[in-house]
């Protein structure tokens, strides 16, 4: 293939890999994928629990850091993002959540064609759910989703009993008709290995002659001629190269890099661009605005019974788990740390969960942004009970720091900016304490380590939350989709003000879904392929 393609996709992440696979399926279109990272053939990427190892690994990770966050007592927040084939689906915690139908009905109000009834078939088509197909779940899609409840650590049973004791239901399938209740997390793995979009979508598609994937290829600018995107300039192996798109350029760089590439290319707030010497092509004040993320908060308990800490901390425990994984592809290394959790509606008068729970049968002390692997289990038996509010109302923003494409964005997440978000953090904390106070959990709790047993008043708790809350790694919304003229992309994902250019990744979410964001990002990639192929016809 020459350096001219029908479509150029920037980023082979959750959305980009799915989009590339679908666009090349019928063999009628040529597609170039530019990925800034390298191959995902890396042991720690393929082994599910290896995400603790790559958390700070610059070989596969952009390792972003936000600006100091006023709501977090002026501390910055460390934001890992995948820089590798599969993008963040290659380094994430694999929890698979589609979201609530009302998340998408809300999208549909601002972007016709994105209501639950419109996108439910896409979710169904994209997955192979190990629990089997039914009206809502898919059985033969590319993305493997596994029920691993049978392998959960025995102390998860105490969590489910605790949930029942405070009146929560235990839900066998939160991706089915009802999201509410305590649940075992479904994860994107297949045969004990990570099911990233690189593995499930891209690799099979890379055998096709009409798909070319360039790794270590960092897109630096969209080439625009008379308000039409005609190609991409990129850096690869120290050289500047260009590729031409006959039909369209599609940005799938994720919630940080897609708005960055738009701004670098002259599509963004005109004053900001001029300040950095970039000639504005289209004044789009919303590019980089509307940033949303889930903010999580943990309680750490010392247990009276062995937890995964005892299995994974000593060298002989690591050896045993390693051998079990290598020989059988089973055991703790084939799972996520988030073995149980679920969704709870706390706000009276709604039937839409507003708290997501996480139960990890292992505890670790989160290292400050540094080099220590994330998951170095504590030396005592411990477990974590955490949560995040599902739909925060605080909105952040991001902006280029300079015209240099290799300089990271300024990121202002603005966590805990609204009273509603602060109130829900406190309500979630009370829910955790209610769970911990049940006989089911009291029977295995020795002490609460963090927050300390005397951190109880709302004021003390809020201070502790501000010091210890963490990103759940779900930034989105920075190239907002909508049918209003101020939105960055319209409901067909086309960038306003420039033709031949779309964005398809987590940046287009108008509002953050109630659960984790990998499944919704892949859905956006799938949906983009439906829209693009329809328009190409
Ligand atoms: C540590 C971590 C844990 C997470 N855990 C979960 C979880 O358990 N469940 C869940 O559902 N979600 C989880 N997420 C979030 C989820 O993985 C992301 O929301 C999702 O992957 C976003 O998809 P995307 O397509 O928008 O971006 P990405 O998957 O990040 O893809 C963007 C791709 O574009 C490439 N790229 C960017 N800029 C350029 C450029 N200029 N040139 C070329 N290529 C470029 C990147 O390298 C990357 O490969 C987690 C994320 C992280 C980081």
């Amino acid at each position: 293939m020459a350096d001219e393609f029908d479509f150029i996709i920037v980023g082979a992440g959750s959305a980009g890999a799915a989009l590339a696979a679908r666009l090349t399926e019928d063999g009628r279109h040529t597609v170039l994928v530019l990925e800034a990272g390298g191959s995902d053939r890396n042991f720690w990427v393929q082994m599910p629990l290896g995400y603790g190892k790559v958390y700070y690994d610059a070989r596969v990770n952009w390792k972003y850091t936000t600006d100091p966050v006023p709501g977090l007592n002026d501390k910055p927040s460390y934001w890992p993002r995948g820089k590798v084939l599969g993008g963040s689906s290659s380094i994430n915690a694999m929890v698979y959540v589609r979201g609530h139908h009302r998340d998408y009905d809300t999208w549909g109000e601002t972007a016709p064609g994105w209501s639950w009834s419109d996108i439910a078939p896409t979710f169904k088509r994209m997955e192979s759910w190990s629990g089997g197909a039914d009206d809502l779940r898919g059985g033969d899609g590319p993305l493997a989703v596994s029920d691993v409840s049978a392998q959960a650590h025995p102390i998860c049973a105490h969590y489910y009993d605790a949930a029942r004791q405070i009146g929560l239901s235990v839900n066998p399938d939160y991706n089915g008709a009802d999201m509410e209740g305590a649940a075992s997390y479904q994860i994107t793995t297949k045969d004990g290995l990570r099911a990233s979009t690189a593995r499930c979508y891209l690799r099979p598609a890379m055998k096709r002659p009409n798909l070319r994937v360039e790794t270590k290829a960092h897109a630096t600018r969209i080439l625009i001629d008379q308000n039409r995107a005609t190609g991409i300039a990129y850096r690869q192996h120290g050289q500047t190269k260009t590729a031409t798109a006959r039909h369209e350029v599609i940005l799938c760089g994720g919630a940080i890099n897609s708005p960055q590439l738009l701004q670098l290319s002259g599509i963004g707030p005109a004053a900001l661009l001029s300040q950095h010497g970039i000639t504005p092509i289209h004044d789009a004040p919303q590019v980089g605005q509307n940033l949303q993320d889930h903010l999580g908060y943990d309680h750490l308990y010392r247990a009276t019974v062995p937890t995964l800490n005892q299995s994974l901390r000593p060298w002989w425990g690591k050896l045993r788990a390693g051998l079990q994984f290598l020989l059988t592809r089973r055991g703790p290394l084939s799972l996520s740390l988030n073995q149980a959790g679920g969704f709870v509606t706390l706000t009276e008068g709604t039937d839409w969960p507003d708290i997501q729970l996480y139960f990890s049968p292992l505890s670790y002390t989160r290292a400050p942004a540094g080099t220590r692997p994330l998951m170095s289990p504590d030396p005592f038996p411990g477990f974590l009970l955490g949560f995040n509010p599902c739909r925060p109302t605080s909105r952040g923003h991001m902006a280029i720091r300079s015209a240099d494409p290799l300089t990271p964005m300024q990121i202002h997440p603005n966590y805990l900016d609204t009273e509603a978000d602060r109130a829900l953090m406190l309500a979630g904390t009370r829910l955790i304490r209610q769970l911990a106070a049940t006989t089911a959990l009291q029977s295995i709790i020795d002490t609460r380590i963090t927050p300390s047993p005397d951190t109880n008043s709302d004021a003390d708790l809020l201070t502790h939350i501000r010091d210890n809350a963490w990103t759940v790694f779900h930034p989105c919304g920075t190239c907002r989709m909508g049918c209003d003229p101020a939105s960055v992309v319209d409901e067909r994902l086309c960038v306003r003000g420039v033709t031949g250019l779309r964005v398809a990744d987590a940046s287009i979410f108008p509002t953050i879904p109630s659960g984790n964001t990998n499944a919704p990002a892949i859905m956006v990639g799938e949906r983009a392929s439906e829209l693009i192929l329809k328009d190409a016809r």
Side-chain angles (χ1 to χ4, degrees):
M1 279 189 275
D3 283 339
E4 191 173 296
F5 302 83
D6 292 333
F7 300 101
I8 299 178
I9 298 173
V10 176
S14 298
L19 174 61
R22 292 298 191 190
L23 282 187
T24 50
E25 225 164 29
D26 67 6
R28 289 171 52 201
H29 307 286
T30 56
V31 174
L32 169 68
V33 177
L34 298 172
E35 168 53 50
S39 163
D40 66 323
R41 291 198 189 278
N42 168 323
F43 178 74
W44 303 112
V45 167
Q46 301 303 327
M47 183 185 84
L49 203 60
Y51 67 91
K53 275 277 191 195
V54 294
Y55 191 75
Y56 292 120
D57 186 346
R59 285 170 301 179
V60 294
N61 192 329
W62 292 88
K63 296 183 66 185
Y64 289 121
T65 301
T66 71
D67 280 41
V69 187
L72 301 186
N73 286 340
D74 286 326
K75 287 191 319 314
S77 178
Y78 171 64
W79 280 16
R81 306 310 298 164
K83 185 181 187 183
V84 56
L85 291 181
S88 299
S89 80
S90 287
I91 68 160
N92 72 11
M94 297 157 294
V95 169
Y96 182 80
V97 183
R98 292 169 162 186
H100 196 270
H101 62 91
R102 284 179 58 179
D103 293 326
Y104 301 103
D105 288 342
T106 307
W107 287 21
E109 285 165 19
T110 169
W114 292 82
S115 297
W116 175 248
S117 58
D118 301 307
I119 52 101
T122 310
F123 271 124
K124 187 172 174 180
R125 166 172 96 115
M126 77 192 207
E127 69 171 5
S128 268
W129 163 230
S130 70
D134 61 23
D135 284 355
L136 292 166
R137 305 300 307 264
D140 56 4
L143 186 73
V145 181
S146 299
D147 173 1
V148 285
S149 52
Q151 288 197 67
H153 191 278
I155 69 162
C156 293
H158 289 264
Y159 166 76
Y160 295 123
D161 287 344
R164 285 189 198 95
Q165 286 177 2
I166 66 164
L168 302 180
S169 57
V170 175
N171 186 346
D173 183 7
Y174 58 83
N175 283 314
D178 188 10
M179 195 177 187
E180 182 96 22
S184 160
Y185 277 126
Q186 302 165 18
I187 58 173
T188 40
T189 57
K190 184 170 188 225
D191 303 329
L193 294 179
R194 174 182 290 276
S196 68
T197 54
R199 179 172 174 218
C200 296
Y201 283 93
L202 201 61
R203 212 179 299 295
M206 280 165 76
K207 298 188 186 103
R208 298 174 188 152
N210 57 331
L211 174 62
R212 187 155 112 201
V213 177
E214 291 288 341
T215 53
K216 308 268 178 189
H218 188 133
T220 52
R221 194 163 45 88
I222 307 160
L223 304 175
I224 299 174
D225 184 17
Q226 296 182 348
N227 280 46
R228 172 168 194 87
T230 56
I232 287 282
Y234 63 101
R235 299 275 305 162
Q236 191 181 38
H237 310 309
Q239 288 180 308
T240 299
K241 303 181 177 179
T242 59
T244 304
R246 275 186 290 266
H247 295 333
E248 292 189 31
V249 171
I250 307 118
L251 305 188
C252 302
I256 303 165
N257 294 39
S258 285
Q260 180 183 30
L261 197 52
L262 286 177
Q263 292 184 359
L264 289 170
S265 309
I267 303 161
L272 171 79
L273 306 187
S274 304
Q275 184 192 327
H276 294 296
I278 297 169
T279 308
I281 288 176
H282 176 62
D283 180 18
Q286 285 270 309
V287 173
Q289 300 291 314
N290 193 45
L291 171 60
Q292 296 161 62
D293 190 15
H294 289 134
L295 186 71
Y297 181 58
D298 282 338
H299 278 41
L300 190 162
Y301 296 92
R302 179 191 283 266
T304 55
V305 293
T307 66
L308 261 185
N309 293 8
Q310 279 60 59
S311 316
L312 291 182
R313 186 175 167 95
W315 67 265
W316 46 266
K318 288 188 176 78
L319 181 67
R320 192 171 57 189
L323 284 174
Q324 184 187 16
F325 175 72
L326 289 174
L327 297 175
T328 67
R329 295 274 184 263
R330 290 175 69 82
L333 304 186
S334 70
L335 304 174
S336 173
L337 269 193
N338 305 310
Q339 295 194 357
F343 298 88
V344 182
T345 305
L346 284 185
T347 308
E348 277 185 33
T350 69
D351 56 355
W352 193 5
D354 43 21
I355 292 287
Q356 179 170 5
L357 291 167
Y358 289 95
F359 180 82
S360 305
L362 175 142
S363 72
Y364 53 91
T365 306
R366 214 171 270 271
T371 52
R372 195 148 67 85
L374 173 66
M375 281 135 209
S376 176
D378 289 322
F380 51 83
F383 67 87
L384 292 168
L385 201 45
F387 74 94
N388 66 255
C390 291
R391 290 176 302 282
T393 51
S394 301
R395 296 289 181 265
H397 58 275
M398 53 180 72
I400 48 170
R401 246 178 249 278
S402 91
D404 171 13
L406 303 186
T407 301
M409 297 279 266
Q410 264 184 343
I411 305 173
H412 300 278
N414 230 3
Y415 296 124
L416 299 180
D417 186 46
T418 65
E419 180 52 37
D421 286 357
R422 294 189 290 271
L424 213 46
M425 284 309 270
L426 291 171
T429 303
R430 285 191 285 273
L431 174 67
I432 296 290
R433 294 190 174 191
Q434 229 187 321
L435 281 163
T438 57
T439 54
L441 280 177
Q442 279 299 309
S443 67
I444 59 161
I445 289 177
D446 178 292
T447 39
R448 190 176 79 217
I449 297 178
T450 55
S452 67
D454 56 358
T455 308
N456 290 314
S457 71
D458 282 0
D460 287 352
L461 266 172
L462 203 53
T463 303
H464 195 266
I465 289 170
R466 290 186 194 284
D467 279 334
N468 294 282
W470 42 278
T471 172
V472 188
F473 319 113
H474 297 160
C476 58
T478 45
C479 298
R480 178 176 70 83
M481 170 176 66
C483 56
D484 58 303
S487 60
V488 177
V489 300
D490 66 16
E491 65 274 23
R492 304 193 68 73
L493 303 175
C494 298
V495 175
R496 294 183 186 280
V498 177
T499 55
L501 182 62
R502 299 195 209 219
V503 183
D505 56 28
S507 72
I508 66 96
F509 298 176
T511 46
I512 194 164
S514 301
N516 312 57
T517 45
N518 188 39
I522 299 170
M523 180 276 289
V524 167
E526 285 264 8
R527 190 104 181 103
S529 74
E530 295 164 16
L531 298 170
I532 292 167
L533 289 173
K534 198 166 169 201
D535 286 353
R537 276 198 292 273

